[in-house]
Each structure stands twice: as C-alpha cells, then as structure tokens.
Amino acid sequence: MFRPWKKSRVLTALGAVATILLFACHVRGRSPHLFFAWLAQSFLHGRLDIAPDVGGTVGFLDMTLRHGAYYLPLGPFPALPLLPLVALFGAQPALTSALHVALAFVVAVLAYRLARRYGLDALTSAWLTAAFCVGSVAIGVLFLDGPWYYAQTLSLAVIFAALLEYKGRDRPAVIGMWMALAVMTRLPAGVGLLFFAAMTIVSRKSWRDKARRLLALAAPLAAAAAILCLYNAVRFGSPFDNGYVDSIMNPDSRAARDRAVYGIFNPAYFRRDAWYYFFQGFSRRGGRFVVDVEGLSFFIVAPSFLFVAAARRITSEWAAGIATFAAALAVFLTYYGTGGLQFGPRYLNDAMPFLFVALLLAVKERGLSIRYRSLIAASAALNIVLFYDFARMYW
C-alpha cells in the first residue's frame, strides 16, 4: 500500500498524464466538422438551417437537405453552450475543442463525486473514475474530437449531474431537468429515465407521493418534448420528423444501404450489432492488427465493468442500473449503425453512468482488491496504447 502522501502524488501524476493526453488528442485531431458551432451561428442569426457555404469545405455529411436548405438532424442543445463563444469569436474549431476538453474534465469530476456520494473513499473513487474515463468506452468520446463525440460527452455530463442530484438533495424536478437536457442532446439518453422511475416506484413512499414525484420528473421531459416537436415542425412541417431518416450519408457505406432497405430500427440488425458490440476483436490492416472503426468488443475495452456481477446482494438500485443499461442495449442492437468512426461501441455511453452506479454498489460491498485495481490499471493502459494507434491511423 502507498503511504498517504505518496497516494496523493500518484493521483496527481495520473491526473497530469490524463490532462496531457486529453489536450494532445484534441489539438492533434481537431475535427473540421463544426456542426454545433454552425448551428449556434445560425441561431444567432435567427435561422434554423445551416449556412450552405460550410459544405464547400467539409461536405454535408450527416445533414438533411429539405426545400433547398441544409439542417442538422441531431439534438439542438449542444449548440447552446457554444452561443457566447461563437458570438465572440465565430465558428472556430478551437472553440468546440476547448469546450469538449472542459466537458471531459467535468465528466471525470462528476464521476468521482458520485463515487464519493455512494460512500467510497477518495482513493477507491479515483480508481473507479479512471475505470470509467479511461478503462471503458467513454475514452472514445472523451478523447476523440468531433461533434458526435462532443455531444456524447455533454450527454454524459448532464446524466451524471442528474445522478448526483439523485444522491444529494434528490429533487425530482431538477433530476427531470438534467434528463431533459440529455434528451435534447441525444434522444437515446432518455432511456435513463427508467432508472429514476424505477427507484421512485420501489421506494417506501406512499403511492400519492410516488405519483407526485413521477409527475415532477416527467414535467421537464414534457417541456423538452414540446420544444423538440416545435423545432421539428418549424423546420420540416411535422413535429415527429427530425430529419434523421433521410440525412446525408456516404451512399457506398453499408449503413446507408441497410437504412435504405430496413429503415432506422429493425431486428435484422441484431446479429451484426451484437457481433460488433461484444465479439469483434482486432482487424488486420497493413500486416498488423488494429482496432476496427465499426466497433471493438465491450469486453476488450471495458473488462473492469464486469465486476458489477460480483455484487452479492441484488438491491433495487443495482438492478435498476443494470436494467437501464440493458434497455439501452436492446435499443442499440436493433439500430442500423454501429457508431461509425469509434473506439469501442460508443453508443453505450448513453447508459454507461447507470452501469457505473451498479459498479459502485458492487465495489462498496466487495471492496477494491489488488487484483481488481490491477485489472483497472491494465485495462486503462491497454486502451491508451490502442487508442494512440487508432488515432494515428484513422484520425
């Protein structure tokens, strides 16, 4: 065991290494796709479409062409934090990258604080924060630069904020507000509501109090749904059309061909998606083994999260965390795409905070053994090595 003063030095050194890696990745791989900065610029000019001149530089990938104008089918909330920056400096790549880096730190801090609120000591909380941020699929969105990863990092931050509220003052309207922002960032993040609804239903409150709490949780979500419906109706004439069905894709890609035949969601995708999510190993390229951009097995990227199964007692909170993660997985396994350019199955990040809750409960019960710490360290080290090679080759 480290002496107390040495523990702090080790944690400081690890934090410094993570900081250097994070900044280096975002500076080296700065993406030219500034979807949310462009959308923020449009909002500032009273428009909902994307200015057509941006396509001359990077193309219109993932945008939707309707009535001669280009629109972003992704959720609008990620553009809002960029509004003051874009107003001052314009739509610059460095702005989105800087905000993305800041959000990555926020995610790490919130994950650590959540572990502390579950009663874990500082060192154990630091280990588990490392397991989440570097030893899981979160590494692929925290460290990769681009609008897709920025939106998922923002989604992680607001979901963790909801969980911190749940383990703190536990105000249902505030929890609902954070989850509403998650939904306005990424629609699949709404599956997290299952966790909070389940914990309300199994609580010892009276049914009247449970109903009030559920209504308070749902009210911000209803407001978010109304905003999204209005946003869609103004752009496309229908509250239920967000433009995603006919967004622009590479016509030669498998995802584009599959979407044209089977649509957005279809059980026909299950076998392929399950393979990439859980069984896909390394691909061979140029005579060596590399990470496949379509996916890499969750068991390779995040083996330390298998410790959730070590819990001896199946509490309602543990079960709710697992069930929420499983519900999100059921959605993603019938989706036409696996995530595009990614390090591991990145869509799972929409439910990873709830699996993290189950992990915290298991570690609180069983403790953080030397073997488990070694697994976290080995997983994080392997991910850093693999990620460096991945970024150098594809990014």
Side-chain angles (χ1 to χ4, degrees):
M1 294 291 293
F2 295 111
R3 293 178 182 175
W5 65 274
K6 287 188 177 181
K7 289 179 184 178
S8 64
R9 287 189 177 184
V10 169
L11 292 177
T12 301
L14 289 174
V17 170
T19 300
I20 293 169
L21 285 172
L22 189 60
F23 275 102
C25 285
H26 280 268
V27 170
R28 181 187 182 280
R30 191 165 290 162
S31 173
H33 296 279
L34 309 179
F35 294 160
F36 296 110
W38 295 331
L39 186 59
Q41 197 167 52
S42 294
F43 288 165
L44 290 170
H45 289 88
R47 300 172 54 170
L48 298 181
D49 62 318
I50 303 295
D53 58 333
V54 303
T57 305
V58 297
F60 295 103
L61 179 69
D62 280 358
M63 296 189 199
T64 301
L65 177 61
R66 296 281 184 89
H67 312 299
Y70 291 93
Y71 296 90
L72 189 64
L74 307 176
F77 179 67
L80 300 187
L82 285 164
L83 282 174
L85 296 174
V86 172
L88 290 173
F89 306 107
Q92 301 294 328
L95 298 180
T96 305
S97 296
L99 183 56
H100 193 164
V101 169
L103 284 170
F105 280 109
V106 168
V107 168
V109 170
L110 295 180
Y112 175 83
R113 289 186 61 193
L114 185 64
R116 295 287 284 156
R117 288 196 180 177
Y118 270 91
L120 299 172
D121 63 77
L123 189 59
T124 300
S125 299
W127 273 103
L128 294 177
T129 300
F132 184 88
C133 294
V134 188
S136 81
V137 295
I139 187 176
V141 299
L142 298 180
F143 285 76
L144 280 172
D145 190 79
W148 312 276
Y149 321 113
Y150 159 67
Q152 287 204 282
T153 301
L154 179 58
S155 177
L156 281 173
V158 294
I159 292 172
F160 268 122
L163 286 168
L164 273 173
E165 175 65 30
Y166 161 73
K167 290 301 290 183
R169 299 180 66 179
D170 195 22
R171 294 165 293 183
V174 176
I175 295 171
M177 177 200 71
W178 287 120
M179 291 307 299
L181 295 181
V183 169
M184 293 181 69
T185 301
R186 286 183 51 79
L187 281 175
V191 75
L193 290 168
L194 293 175
F195 177 86
F196 301 108
M199 295 311 299
T200 297
I201 292 170
V202 301
S203 68
R204 296 181 178 180
K205 300 178 184 294
S206 68
W207 282 107
R208 177 175 294 180
D209 288 341
K210 290 179 183 180
R212 288 174 178 169
R213 181 178 174 85
L214 288 173
L215 286 173
L217 277 169
L221 271 297
I227 292 171
L228 290 176
C229 286
L230 179 62
Y231 183 59
N232 293 336
V234 172
R235 295 186 303 164
F236 305 129
S238 169
F240 307 110
D241 180 7
N242 63 3
Y244 198 73
V245 173
D246 57 344
S247 58
I248 298 170
M249 300 178 64
N250 178 358
D252 297 325
S253 67
R254 179 179 58 188
R257 295 193 299 269
D258 286 347
R259 190 179 71 175
V261 176
Y262 299 109
I264 300 291
F265 291 98
N266 196 298
Y269 301 132
F270 180 86
R271 183 176 178 181
R272 179 207 62 193
D273 289 354
W275 174 265
Y276 279 112
Y277 273 62
F278 297 112
F279 304 105
Q280 175 65 43
F282 300 102
S283 298
R284 195 170 183 83
R285 179 173 176 176
R288 62 195 184 94
F289 291 101
V290 297
V291 173
D292 193 312
V293 295
E294 288 282 350
L296 181 65
S297 171
F298 181 84
F299 302 131
I300 295 175
V301 181
S304 58
F305 274 74
L306 298 178
F307 193 77
V308 297
R312 293 192 181 98
R313 294 189 309 115
I314 307 302
T315 64
S316 56
E317 203 168 14
W318 181 92
I322 296 294
T324 301
F325 184 79
L329 183 61
V331 172
F332 295 134
L333 290 181
T334 60
Y335 186 61
Y336 79 97
T338 58
L341 181 62
Q342 61 179 349
F343 185 87
R346 69 179 176 91
Y347 291 151
L348 289 180
N349 281 290
D350 291 326
M352 281 298 293
F354 302 99
L355 190 64
F356 187 61
V357 166
L359 180 65
L360 295 178
L361 292 168
V363 171
K364 184 177 180 180
E365 181 184 352
R366 298 294 297 268
L368 196 68
S369 66
I370 293 291
R371 284 188 297 178
Y372 186 51
R373 277 180 285 177
S374 299
L375 175 61
I376 293 174
S379 173
L382 178 62
N383 279 352
I384 289 172
V385 171
L386 292 174
F387 184 84
Y388 173 79
D389 186 62
F390 171 85
R392 187 167 57 89
M393 180 168 292
Y394 297 111
W395 185 30

